Amino acid sequence: MRPGPRNLITDVPGLRVGNAQDDALKSGVTVLTADAPFTASVHVMGGAPGTRETDLLAPDKSVAAIDALVLSGGSAFGLDACSGVVAGLHAAGRGFVVGSARVPLVPGAILFDLLNGGAKNWSDNPYPALGRAALEAAGEDFCTGTSGAGTGALTAMLKGGLGSASLVLDDGHTVGALVAANPQGAVTTPGERHFFAAPFEIDAEFGGLGPDPATGLGRELKSRKAQAYTAGASTTIAIVATSARLNKSECQRMAIAAHDGIGRACVPAHSPMDGDLVFAVSQGDAPGNLPLIGHAASLCLARAIARAVYAARAAPGDLLPCWQEVNG
């Protein structure tokens, strides 16, 4: 397995991703969409999720395909980013047809970034406009790091961010991951140089420093984030996708397997105050090897989390340093 040409989730043919952010707000929105509705499901392992229309994605629910997925900052306010995406899709003639009506189907998930130093004193919720702008920006190439839903993300010790990665399997199918990494846990080992996901790195995609040679890692849980503010709300929200044909039940299994990537990259993961959630998307016509697809999704997600932190950029008013500052 090797990364696709972009090493982004958009290596899965037909998928497009768009970002919109407000640097003063220190928050933003990321949208994944395609030219036609696609199959998707979801699995939640965090104790504090924030979601919209995720019940539609359960295998026993009647909706077969959706129009877009939204990852957003803003906690509960960010759920309104989905409304902006719905409006944009409706204007473009997209949506589930019910008689003479069209209803775009846009599930979403949010992370908590309300106490990250950004200006949150808005009079009108900014997230619907950010959601529509992210949809309108959707394409095969997009920025990672301090962009989109990762703009205001923080890990325990460093700035978080938006990350992505891909793998092309031996059978020709592609698997990719997209993540807004804002975990309660750390993504780097003590010293903030080595990534927990280092064993899964390919071609120095997040620095090429290799695994930390220390042993006994994970017992010391320091957190600059906890010192910066007392609220425990965090979250890693992600999308994994494949070019193989999967039904909703198989997509859910892919999402479950992909959560291993969060556990490999964030220590600790899936805590009571994390909203850890993974959407899974199928965008293809040919069948694939589901166990291998799930494994590849977990590898891509671990790498995407590390790449998110590695690509984060310093900005005025930051509460935490970024990896490049600490290791530059």
Side-chain angles (χ1 to χ4, degrees), residues 114-157:
L114 296 180
L115 301 177
N116 63 0
K120 305 300 195 296
N121 57 340
W122 60 73
S123 56
D124 295 313
N125 189 333
Y127 288 97
L130 287 169
R132 185 154 186 173
L135 174 69
E136 293 171 352
E140 292 181 335
D141 294 304
F142 59 93
C143 293
T144 58
T146 307
S147 300
T151 299
L154 303 173
T155 75
M157 300 300 286

Side-chain angles (χ1 to χ4, degrees), residues 58-81:
D60 64 325
K61 299 302 184 287
S62 59
V63 168
I66 61 171
D67 297 292
L69 288 167
V70 173
L71 306 179
S72 179
S75 189
F77 302 100
L79 292 174
D80 274 351

Side-chain angles (χ1 to χ4, degrees), residues 175 200 240 254 257-262 264 293-303:
V175 174
F200 311 103
V240 293
M254 180 186 180
H259 270 283
D260 286 352
I262 299 178
R264 289 166 177 158
I293 289 168
H295 171 60
S298 70
L299 296 179
C300 287
L301 185 46
R303 293 163 50 226

Side-chain angles (χ1 to χ4, degrees), residues 231-243:
S234 296
T235 289
T236 298
I237 47 177
I239 304 169
V240 293
T242 181
S243 61

Side-chain angles (χ1 to χ4, degrees), residues 10 12 19 34 121 129 139 198 206 229 257 265 274 282 291 295 318 321-322 327-328:
T10 48
V12 175
N19 290 324
N121 57 340
F206 42 89
Y229 59 80
D274 280 301
S282 170
H295 171 60
D318 283 349
C322 63
N327 295 282

Side-chain angles (χ1 to χ4, degrees), residues 1-293:
M1 295 186 285
R2 298 292 301 170
R6 299 179 187 85
N7 201 13
L8 299 173
I9 195 171
T10 48
D11 287 328
V12 175
L15 295 183
R16 293 179 285 117
V17 171
N19 290 324
Q21 60 273 335
D22 183 323
D23 292 333
L25 188 67
K26 285 189 179 291
S27 189
V29 176
T30 297
V31 174
L32 180 140
T33 190
D35 290 335
F38 50 86
T39 304
S41 192
V42 67
H43 188 67
V44 180
M45 289 190 70
T51 61
R52 169 169 159 159
E53 293 200 312
T54 49
D55 283 353
L56 291 175
L57 304 179
D60 64 325
K61 299 302 184 287
S62 59
V63 168
I66 61 171
D67 297 292
L69 288 167
V70 173
L71 306 179
S72 179
S75 189
F77 302 100
L79 292 174
D80 274 351
C82 297
S83 298
V85 177
V86 167
L89 289 167
H90 187 266
R94 294 282 301 274
F96 183 73
V97 176
V98 184
S100 61
R102 284 180 290 103
V103 183
L105 300 177
V106 183
I110 50 86
L111 57 80
F112 184 91
D113 59 4
L114 296 180
L115 301 177
N116 63 0
K120 305 300 195 296
N121 57 340
W122 60 73
S123 56
D124 295 313
N125 189 333
Y127 288 97
L130 287 169
R132 185 154 186 173
L135 174 69
E136 293 171 352
E140 292 181 335
D141 294 304
F142 59 93
C143 293
T144 58
T146 307
S147 300
T151 299
L154 303 173
T155 75
M157 300 300 286
L158 300 169
K159 285 188 71 172
L162 187 76
S164 192
S166 70
L167 284 171
V168 179
L169 311 186
D170 292 344
D171 62 7
H173 282 305
T174 299
V175 174
L178 175 69
V179 64
N182 183 59
Q184 184 172 345
V187 174
T188 50
T189 63
E192 288 73 69
R193 180 169 174 79
H194 296 272
F195 288 93
F196 280 112
F200 311 103
E201 184 178 17
I202 301 172
D203 297 334
E205 62 191 338
F206 42 89
L209 299 175
D212 194 325
T215 60
L217 298 173
R219 294 179 295 163
E220 185 176 302
L221 300 178
K222 291 183 178 180
S223 176
R224 293 190 184 107
K225 185 176 184 177
Q227 294 171 356
Y229 59 80
T230 57
S234 296
T235 289
T236 298
I237 47 177
I239 304 169
V240 293
T242 181
S243 61
R245 184 183 71 237
L246 304 179
N247 59 33
K248 287 172 71 176
S249 178
E250 291 168 328
C251 280
Q252 187 179 63
R253 294 309 313 178
M254 180 186 180
I256 292 169
H259 270 283
D260 286 352
I262 299 178
R264 289 166 177 158
C266 305
V267 178
H270 306 136
S271 79
M273 296 308 297
D274 280 301
D276 295 350
L277 170 152
V278 178
F279 294 108
V281 169
S282 170
Q283 174 76 358
D285 298 321
N289 182 327
L290 181 58
L292 181 60
I293 289 168

